[in-house]
Amino acid sequence: MIDSPRVCVHVQSIYVESQSSPDEERFVFAYTVTIRNVGRVPVQLLGRYWLITNGNGRETEVQGEGVVGEQPHIVPGEEYQYTSGAVIETPMGTMQGHYEMVDVDGNPFRIAIPVFRLAVPTLIH
């Protein structure tokens, strides 16, 4: 019997002022995700699901295969990092979701992505 997969997810978001247009209710954020395999078996990320909520409570769901066009294999002790983006209509919002993954034997499992904030820096107190 092998150990169950253990994967840690860390997300950092930044406001992209140069691509945003507050007057047009367009706020662009970049987020960098680090996915670390802290288990003892190789894993592969197959798909993603995001729930993006703007400051007015409007929710947008995004799902699809892989991340940034890849379905990375992550061996024990290694990490995979990528940067992507989100556009919302308010200066603050949140994102959360999960990754659909499989272990080395093809057993599917899901890793939660904890909620993180999208915020224009001048609004943070």
Side-chain angles (χ1 to χ4, degrees), residues 16-57:
V16 185
E17 187 174 5
S18 63
Q19 295 179 23
S20 298
S21 302
D23 293 344
E24 299 171 13
E25 297 184 338
R26 175 184 163 86
F27 297 86
V28 179
F29 297 90
Y31 57 90
T32 299
V33 180
T34 304
I35 305 164
R36 175 173 281 280
N37 184 347
V38 294
R40 295 184 179 170
V41 298
V43 297
Q44 182 181 13
L45 189 157
L46 297 180
R48 72 192 180 287
Y49 167 83
W50 289 110
L51 176 63
I52 305 166
T53 307
N54 75 14
N56 297 327

Side-chain angles (χ1 to χ4, degrees), residues 14-17 29 91-92 118-125:
I14 60 165
Y15 175 56
V16 185
E17 187 174 5
F29 297 90
M92 282 189 81
L118 305 173
V120 175
T122 56
L123 295 178
I124 300 173
H125 299 288

